[in-house]
Amino acid sequence: SAPRCQINKQLLDVRVLKGEPAELSCTVSTTEVTGTWFKDGLKLKSMDGVYFEKEGLVHKLIINKVDDIHAGKYRFEGGDIKTEASVFVEDPPRVDKVLLKNLTSVPTVAKAGQKVNIKIPFEGRLPIRAMWLKDKVELVDDARIRVDKTQTFTMLSIARSERKDCGDYKVRLKNDSGVLEINLKLVVLDKPQPPAGPIKIVESSANDITIQWKPPKDDGGKPLQRYIVEMQQMGKSDWVALGETPRGCTTFTTDKVEQDMSYYFRVRAVNAEGTSDPLESDEVKAVGKPSPGAPDPPEIVSASRDTITISWKAPRKTGNSRIVGYIVQKRKKGTTTWLPVNSVPVADKKLKMTNLKKGLQYEFRVAAVNAAGVGDPSGPSQPVFARDSTKSPGQVQDLKVSSSDSTSVTLTWKRPEAKDGSDVKGYEVEMRSSNNLNWTKCNSLPIEATTYTVKGLQAKQIYFLRVRALNDSGPGEAAELEACIEAAPHVVYPRLLIDGTVKSFLVVKAGNTIRVNIPFEASPDPVVTWLKDGLPLPSHATTNNKNGTAQLLIAAAEFTDSGTYTIELQNGLGERETFSFQVQVTDIPQSPGPIHLEENVPNTVTVTWEPSASEKWENDLYYTVLKRESQKGLWHMVGDLIYTNKFTFTKLIPGRDYYFRVVAKNSLGASGPSETAKPWRIQKPKVEFQVKTQKYKEVNQNQPPRFLVPLKPHVVMRGSECHMSCAVGGHPPPKITWYKDSRDLSSDPTYFCTNDFGICSLVILGVTKQDEGEYMVEATNEMGRAFSKAFLTIRGKS
């Protein structure tokens, strides 16, 4: 017979960029195959840009320029062979190459205040997600910045650009075919920031002053060109231009000053975009003779709502002449402007000031004056309010006993009246017994609330209690009352109130909450003790006693929480009462251990397994045994309610594979299964026949194969067994080979093939939709070849 054609090299899936060429190829075993190409089940014909080639054993399908329509599943068929593969068209985001080069190589430049629009058109398979990032943080819309996204472009718009918008930007375009990232830079140009301060006085004399500054922290994106220096004489409003310095020079000397006059200086930086705001100096004096040094900060002598009196000491450095007086300045706390208090120097080192606003907080400083002029000012004084000194608070209002028992008293009161209690910082409570004249403080720190409970008192005693308000000046006037403590309550011996709601045996599933409430009565309150198996409770158990009920709570029960729990009540007299109850924590059993199979009796299998770990705490655990006859067959129960770890199965059919499964069960459910990894099989016995032949003249009995009973079509339900059989004659006995869709089934373990004296059978256990197709049985011997075909159809839902 002619050799069968085979696929030597299958078609392989291809992923190709849109617009690029693509090629599918396969190799067959014979050149006689012409072959046909299909796409998505439809036969293909040559068309523009798509053509077929055959080079010897190789068949090719070539696409010159791939487009979306070319994506799909392709199949090559020739004779009784076929192979298929898919073409996936990738269409990642793309941007015009010229635009991309311009964006990434040349920064986008804008002037401060101008509108910036950066538009990037793109192509690619939709949807495309566009994201803008600056310094690795995604941009979101705000009052100035907006990110627009459409199906064809994305655009960043900045309404009024600022220097802070400078930086590195990244645009990320992404679809299901890939990601494109574009890095670009934005530069915003502006005038410089002011020069960095403060302005330092390098040298000062009666004839000239030299100042120094630092370059601005931000040059505005353009190189500095120069600095402009101006001066203002103290007491005048006009600024006079002194000159300019080149960008590398940050010092300036002027001789346009007069001795003993004070001046202010300011400096501006200039670049191509404009001139910066000015940096201004403090007051600078052109001094001819050495002036006095700075005194120490003045001290506050007294303060009221109308006047503040300060005093100070003479400076350590007095200059070259004697001090003739002092100039005092003031400022409001939190401001920077100092205002003169006196225009004529005062000779005394103490000054009483009256021109103040009530309630404001002030600071003061002093400068000494000699023949050379006014010296350096002192540091500021401590801040002081222009108001009267605080007086002690008034008496608390409406002090009374709100509740009491045999050992404690609870007091409540109200704040002092508004005119006396606006600055109350807290309260203190004191007590004394009727036979003691000394008061004892009840609180170590001021009480902020207007209630307090005094504890540790004795029954049937009289106590005196008083409360005082506190402020910065100390305690105010006390409010006092008398309290009589009640007699101790009647003693009630501890008793557990066990009723129908309290159970003596609890079964709890592992992981659930154990909550036991036991009511009791006792007076005074007893000591409640909980034990588990005679020992203290585990750390994850909590207890609570409230309103005559003792509660045991375990949030998530564990197997170790099983046991005997005991509650004990005991009062101060030694009287006690106990109650015990059982808790059993259980759960769905754990899986059994590994399974072992043995053939202790011919044609039977004994299944044994390692016990489930749940046997240690589960008394009512049992096992169920299941079997199936192929790796994809259905499981059938063969043994149930097994309380040992052993089961013998007897209904074995020689030649079949058996798989076994064991699960553990209790009242809550079944465990996960334990299964055999390898199948169990009893081999078929070999039958030997002895035929006594008669002696006669030998005749040639050789015959070619022939089918006495051919294969018949079958229709079976999914999951059931399928038996296909036929009868074959011929001498010598033919060799039988089964095929499905031209594929040899001899080495496939899913199919069971038998040949008993010419009766040929094929058995499929638990058929699936993949088993559907054309089956062929081939019989061959030295005299010839014969075959029979039939189709198997599968019914039933997927």
Side-chain angles (χ1 to χ4, degrees):
S1 58
R4 299 174 62 208
C5 181
Q6 295 181 339
I7 296 286
N8 291 341
K9 182 181 177 183
Q10 303 274 355
L11 290 178
L12 298 177
D13 290 347
V14 173
R15 292 185 179 274
V16 61
L17 290 175
K18 185 176 180 179
E20 297 292 321
E23 179 180 293
L24 292 172
S25 68
C26 63
T27 306
V28 298
S29 60
T30 174
T31 58
E32 298 175 358
V33 174
T34 56
T36 305
W37 290 89
F38 296 84
K39 178 182 182 293
D40 298 327
L42 299 176
K43 185 176 179 180
L44 279 177
K45 298 179 181 179
S46 290
M47 62 182 80
D48 288 343
V50 180
Y51 58 94
F52 315 123
E53 282 188 0
K54 178 185 177 186
E55 299 176 356
L57 302 176
V58 180
H59 294 259
K60 294 183 180 180
L61 181 147
I62 298 173
I63 306 172
N64 284 338
K65 188 175 181 181
V66 170
D67 205 340
D68 288 332
I69 61 170
H70 296 125
K73 181 169 285 189
Y74 290 79
R75 186 172 77 252
F76 176 81
E77 290 186 2
D80 53 359
I81 63 167
K82 64 178 179 180
T83 175
E84 61 184 23
S86 295
V87 172
F88 299 96
V89 179
E90 304 286 5
D91 191 10
R94 304 184 306 282
V95 172
D96 180 74
K97 292 181 179 180
V98 176
L99 173 62
L100 191 62
K101 183 177 180 181
N102 290 340
L103 285 173
T104 56
S105 60
V106 180
T108 301
V109 180
K111 291 191 176 185
Q114 286 185 344
K115 185 174 182 179
V116 175
N117 287 325
I118 304 176
K119 182 177 179 180
I120 302 180
F122 53 75
E123 297 177 339
R125 181 173 296 125
L126 299 176
I128 295 178
R129 182 173 181 263
M131 179 189 299
W132 288 77
L133 301 99
K134 180 179 184 292
D135 301 327
K136 299 181 180 180
V137 178
E138 183 175 3
L139 291 176
V140 295
D141 291 354
D142 61 20
R144 292 190 311 112
I145 298 175
R146 192 177 83 237
V147 176
D148 292 309
K149 304 167 187 175
T150 72
Q151 292 188 352
T152 58
F153 72 88
T154 180
M155 183 166 69
L156 172 66
S157 301
I158 303 177
R160 299 173 305 282
S161 59
E162 300 175 3
R163 280 286 290 163
K164 66 182 180 181
D165 297 322
C166 292
D168 295 322
Y169 290 75
K170 183 190 291 286
V171 184
R172 183 176 293 148
L173 304 174
K174 182 177 181 181
N175 65 6
D176 58 5
S177 292
V179 179
L180 174 63
E181 290 189 345
I182 305 170
N183 294 304
L184 52 94
K185 184 182 290 290
L186 173 63
V187 176
V188 178
L189 303 177
D190 198 1
K191 66 183 182 180
Q193 287 187 357
I199 292 178
K200 293 183 178 180
I201 308 305
V202 178
E203 187 177 342
S204 175
S205 68
N207 301 318
D208 54 55
I209 296 174
T210 300
I211 61 173
Q212 186 181 50
W213 61 92
K214 296 178 182 177
K217 294 181 179 179
D218 182 5
D219 63 5
K222 283 288 186 93
L224 293 180
Q225 296 175 341
R226 63 189 182 278
Y227 294 97
I228 299 174
V229 183
E230 299 173 290
M231 180 180 73
Q232 181 190 54
Q233 185 176 330
M234 191 172 182
K236 295 185 177 181
S237 59
D238 296 335
W239 287 89
V240 177
L242 296 178
E244 298 180 355
T245 68
R247 64 184 181 187
C249 180
T250 57
T251 60
F252 186 87
T253 301
T254 179
D255 57 1
K256 298 178 181 179
V257 296
E258 299 179 17
Q259 183 176 332
D260 297 332
M261 296 299 294
S262 294
Y263 300 91
Y264 296 99
F265 294 89
R266 69 183 185 187
V267 182
R268 303 173 188 262
V270 181
N271 69 3
E273 296 299 316
T275 303
S276 73
D277 294 332
L279 168 69
E280 295 189 13
S281 73
D282 293 331
E283 177 188 337
V284 183
K285 191 170 187 179
V287 180
K289 298 178 181 179
S291 57
D296 291 335
E299 296 182 353
I300 307 300
V301 176
S302 64
S304 69
R305 60 184 174 181
D306 300 318
T307 63
I308 294 177
T309 302
I310 64 172
S311 66
W312 59 90
K313 296 178 181 178
R316 296 177 183 84
K317 297 179 181 179
T318 60
N320 292 341
S321 59
R322 70 179 183 85
I323 293 175
V324 298
Y326 297 90
I327 296 295
V328 178
Q329 295 177 311
K330 67 180 179 182
R331 71 177 178 187
K332 298 175 186 176
K333 180 75 167 63
T335 65
T336 59
T337 304
W338 290 95
L339 301 175
V341 174
N342 57 316
S343 56
V344 178
V346 294
D348 196 3
K349 292 189 282 292
K350 186 176 183 180
L351 183 63
K352 181 178 182 180
M353 291 158 286
T354 57
N355 190 19
L356 305 170
K357 287 188 178 180
K358 179 184 175 182
L360 289 182
Q361 197 174 18
Y362 289 93
E363 292 176 323
F364 301 93
R365 71 179 184 181
V366 179
V369 182
N370 68 3
V374 180
D376 296 331
S378 70
S381 68
Q382 291 292 322
V384 59
F385 282 101
R387 66 185 182 191
D388 295 334
S389 60
T390 307
K391 65 179 182 178
S392 299
Q395 189 180 58
V396 301
Q397 304 292 305
D398 198 18
L399 175 64
K400 61 184 177 181
V401 175
S402 62
S403 65
S404 67
D405 56 24
S406 61
T407 59
S408 65
V409 169
T410 299
L411 303 175
T412 60
W413 61 89
K414 297 179 181 177
R415 293 172 60 90
E417 293 182 0
K419 63 184 178 65
D420 298 323
S422 60
D423 56 351
V424 170
K425 297 293 193 299
Y427 304 90
E428 70 175 16
V429 178
E430 297 172 288
M431 60 161 280
R432 68 177 180 87
S433 61
S434 58
N435 54 8
N436 189 349
L437 297 178
N438 295 322
W439 290 93
T440 302
K441 275 191 178 183
C442 300
N443 56 300
S444 57
L445 297 174
I447 303 165
E448 295 184 1
T450 56
T451 180
Y452 186 78
T453 299
V454 183
K455 298 181 180 180
L457 306 179
Q458 295 183 5
K460 298 183 180 181
Q461 290 288 326
I462 295 176
Y463 289 89
F464 295 95
L465 303 153
R466 68 184 186 186
V467 178
R468 295 197 286 190
L470 305 173
N471 70 3
D472 293 337
S473 297
E477 182 182 356
E480 188 175 327
L481 57 71
E482 178 183 320
C484 182
I485 304 305
E486 302 171 359
H490 175 67
V491 174
V492 177
Y493 292 112
R495 187 164 71 94
L496 293 164
L497 306 177
I498 306 300
D499 56 16
T501 63
V502 181
K503 301 184 184 301
S504 59
F505 185 79
L506 298 175
V507 178
V508 181
K509 184 178 179 181
N512 286 358
T513 300
I514 299 176
R515 182 182 285 107
V516 179
N517 294 313
I518 299 181
F520 65 87
E521 62 178 15
S523 182
D525 290 341
V527 176
V528 180
T529 304
W530 288 88
L531 301 172
K532 177 184 178 291
D533 298 328
L535 299 173
L537 294 178
S539 59
H540 62 277
T542 59
T543 61
N544 181 36
N545 308 313
K546 191 175 182 181
N547 299 328
T549 299
Q551 184 185 73
L552 167 68
L553 179 66
I554 300 176
E558 303 172 0
F559 294 113
T560 55
D561 293 325
S562 297
T564 301
Y565 289 79
T566 302
I567 180 175
E568 179 185 274
L569 303 183
Q570 183 174 355
N571 65 10
L573 303 176
E575 298 287 336
R576 69 178 63 190
E577 183 168 5
T578 62
F579 171 73
S580 297
F581 56 93
Q582 296 284 332
V583 173
Q584 175 66 47
V585 180
T586 186
D587 200 355
I588 293 173
Q590 297 186 26
S591 300
I595 297 175
H596 307 284
L597 303 176
E598 296 177 318
E599 186 179 8
N600 295 327
V601 177
N603 293 332
T604 68
V605 60
T606 298
V607 185
T608 60
W609 56 91
E610 300 294 328
S612 164
S614 302
E615 280 194 15
K616 297 175 183 177
W617 61 80
E618 181 62 57
N619 296 327
D620 297 325
L621 183 141
Y622 62 93
Y623 297 92
T624 298
V625 179
L626 304 98
K627 65 92 180 174
R628 67 180 179 186
E629 296 182 9
S630 73
Q631 282 190 326
K632 55 185 179 179
L634 300 177
W635 289 101
H636 299 282
M637 184 174 69
V638 294
D640 196 17
L641 296 174
I642 302 169
Y643 290 90
T644 63
N645 305 121
K646 181 177 180 181
F647 175 77
T648 299
F649 180 62
T650 59
K651 301 177 181 179
L652 293 177
I653 299 175
R656 287 194 180 181
D657 286 349
Y658 290 87
Y659 296 83
F660 292 90
R661 166 186 281 184
V662 180
V663 295
K665 295 182 178 179
N666 65 5
S667 57
L668 292 179
S671 72
S674 178
E675 297 181 3
T676 54
K678 296 181 179 179
W680 177 266
R681 171 183 285 193
I682 296 177
Q683 299 298 330
K684 286 184 179 181
K686 294 184 178 180
V687 181
E688 295 183 2
F689 293 90
Q690 293 183 350
V691 181
K692 192 173 183 179
T693 59
Q694 295 181 356
K695 293 183 179 180
Y696 55 89
K697 187 177 179 180
E698 186 174 340
V699 178
N700 185 2
Q701 297 179 343
N702 289 352
Q703 293 181 348
R706 68 186 186 282
F707 281 87
L708 306 176
V709 178
L711 279 180
K712 295 180 180 179
H714 285 67
V715 179
V716 298
M717 297 300 293
R718 183 188 307 273
S720 62
E721 289 189 2
C722 175
H723 294 262
M724 304 177 73
S725 61
C726 61
V728 181
H731 191 79
K735 176 186 175 183
I736 303 300
T737 306
W738 288 85
Y739 296 90
K740 175 186 180 291
D741 296 332
S742 303
R743 181 169 62 89
D744 190 343
L745 304 180
S746 302
S747 58
D748 192 329
T750 309
Y751 302 91
F752 301 90
C753 308
T754 61
N755 181 3
D756 294 326
F757 306 106
I759 305 301
C760 305
S761 297
L762 177 72
V763 179
I764 309 172
L765 298 175
V767 296
T768 65
K769 192 68 177 176
Q770 285 71 32
D771 294 320
E772 187 173 79
E774 184 181 65
Y775 287 78
M776 180 180 79
V777 59
E778 181 185 57
T780 57
N781 65 9
E782 60 188 32
M783 301 299 295
R785 169 178 176 267
F787 61 88
S788 178
K789 296 182 180 180
F791 200 86
L792 172 61
T793 303
I794 310 300
R795 301 294 190 200
K797 294 183 178 179
S798 300

